[in-house]
Amino acid sequence: RELTEVQLQLQLLDEQCADEQMAVQKRFDRIRVPFFERRSKLFYQVPRFWQAALAGHPSGQVHPAELDALSQVTDVTVNENVDNLCSYEVRFTFTASKERLFRERSAMKRVTFQDSLAEAASVQPARLTA
């Protein structure tokens, strides 16, 4: 019985710690926004920055057939910690030029974590232009 009480107290402290850590993380996430925006403007000045960055990533996740589509990416933003379970969103913004490949100006993927540590993803697709 005493062991169960101690274990429960430790669990409550762990939960309190996690809540406070999330609050601090969210505060710093807000502080970082202007720096991310400034960096994004600098990336925009480099032609095909996101194509080179994504295609050159050591994970090798980009197939050669995707390079034309990646040339249309003008910005990538990640919105972390959209809830207290560390869910996040990734948004790709595409060129507005007349030669664009996609109808939409952006596509977003949201990954939502649930209490059971299960993961659900929703995707706002980008359709190719005719």
Side-chain angles (χ1 to χ4, degrees):
R1 181 176 154 94
E2 185 178 354
L3 179 59
T4 303
E5 288 177 21
V6 169
Q7 199 61 36
L8 179 61
Q9 290 171 341
L10 284 171
Q11 183 178 349
L12 292 173
L13 280 174
D14 285 344
E15 290 173 11
Q16 180 183 354
C17 179
D19 290 344
E20 290 183 25
Q21 286 175 335
M22 182 55 68
V24 169
Q25 182 66 48
K26 285 184 174 185
R27 183 170 67 92
F28 277 89
D29 286 349
R30 285 189 300 275
I31 292 170
R32 295 173 4 182
V33 166
F35 296 97
F36 285 134
E37 289 172 348
R38 201 163 114 209
R39 183 178 68 179
S40 178
K41 289 177 184 173
L42 294 171
F43 287 163
Y44 189 78
Q45 295 173 13
V46 178
R48 298 180 183 231
F49 171 82
W50 286 109
Q51 179 187 34
L54 296 170
H57 192 274
S59 68
Q61 296 293 313
V62 175
H63 188 278
E66 298 170 319
L67 289 176
D68 282 344
L70 288 179
S71 72
Q72 301 278 303
V73 176
T74 59
D75 195 23
V76 176
T77 56
V78 178
N79 186 7
E80 300 176 295
N81 304 311
V82 295
D83 57 26
N84 286 338
L85 298 172
C86 299
S87 300
Y88 62 92
E89 299 171 340
V90 180
R91 179 176 300 277
F92 289 85
T93 303
F94 307 113
T95 183
S97 74
K98 292 181 181 180
E99 296 83 31
R100 69 179 188 248
L101 293 174
F102 303 102
R103 290 183 193 170
E104 289 77 16
R105 286 275 291 126
S106 67
M108 189 213 12
K109 177 178 182 177
R110 180 183 177 121
V111 176
T112 304
F113 295 102
Q114 298 156 351
D115 285 330
S116 63
L117 298 179
E119 177 182 325
S122 62
V123 178
Q124 170 201 0
R127 297 171 295 172
L128 294 175
T129 57

